[in-house]
Amino acid sequence: MTAVAQGGPAAGGQDRVRTRNLSALLRHVHVHGPTTRAELTALTGLNRSTIGALTTELTSAELVCEEPSAARAGAGRPSLLVTPRGNQNYVLAFDIGVDYLFAARVGLGGQVLDRRDLYRPRGEYPLSDVLGHVRRFASELIAGARPGSWCAGGGVAIPALVRRRLAATGNGKK
């Protein structure tokens, strides 16, 4: 896990430290999946009460949920399992290839919530055509999202060669 910020004013103040710690916990459960509070305590070096307060805050923000863990490491009650809530918050992801366009709404934890595919013969297509499909897919994916959920961002992958049209002068100089 990435280093978790600890300390006082030198680390940027209480709010900045809290924000960085929240981010580190959320990033960990997003990338690694469900993790117990005890494991988060061991990974971060933060005390149990701090982990409890941070996971409670993430739960209140509907970014994670907590439930009793089936695994029991030792004596006492089992540690709560912190799991990303993949259906509440999402990003839009687009992959524009030579002969396809994929679009997806992806939740926390990498869960694909909805997907659109378009396969076409190889060829040159006007940018307006490609962007039209991207806009349509984005609208459909957002419309299909759970009420109250929100889009945190988006990304586009273009693994193919991208050609930029030369200026209208035709001489190839800008």
Side-chain angles (χ1 to χ4, degrees):
M1 175 179 247
T2 57
V4 177
Q6 299 180 39
Q14 278 311 104
D15 287 339
R16 267 182 100 172
V17 170
R18 188 183 108 283
T19 299
R20 279 185 270 173
N21 288 340
L22 286 166
S23 177
L25 293 182
L26 184 58
R27 184 179 308 108
H28 183 81
V29 297
H30 168 66
V31 172
H32 300 285
T35 308
T36 65
R37 280 187 180 186
E39 291 168 328
L40 291 171
T41 300
L43 287 167
T44 62
L46 297 171
N47 64 46
R48 289 183 314 178
S49 61
T50 300
I51 292 294
L54 293 170
T55 58
T56 297
E57 190 169 343
L58 291 171
T59 300
S60 295
E62 299 184 350
L63 296 169
V64 301
C65 61
E66 293 185 290
E67 56 196 20
S69 172
R72 190 179 196 120
R77 65 176 185 224
S79 182
L80 291 175
L81 187 65
V82 182
T83 305
R85 288 193 62 185
N87 60 351
Q88 183 65 27
N89 310 289
Y90 61 90
V91 296
L92 296 180
F94 300 92
D95 184 0
I96 302 172
V98 175
D99 55 358
Y100 64 87
L101 168 62
F102 300 144
R105 183 167 35 91
V106 182
L108 280 172
Q111 178 184 4
V112 176
L113 304 170
D114 197 359
R115 180 179 167 138
R116 301 289 185 277
D117 302 334
L118 173 67
Y119 295 94
R120 304 192 307 183
R122 287 179 181 245
E124 289 194 27
Y125 296 96
L127 179 61
S128 60
D129 179 60
V130 175
L131 291 178
H133 290 297
V134 168
R135 275 193 291 274
R136 178 173 56 87
F137 283 171
S139 295
E140 290 173 4
L141 292 168
I142 291 169
R146 177 179 160 194
S149 63
W150 57 276
C151 181
V156 179
I158 305 174
L161 179 63
V162 178
R163 293 188 186 131
R164 183 175 179 180
R165 294 273 181 210
L166 299 177
T169 60
N171 63 9
K173 296 180 183 176
K174 291 185 179 184

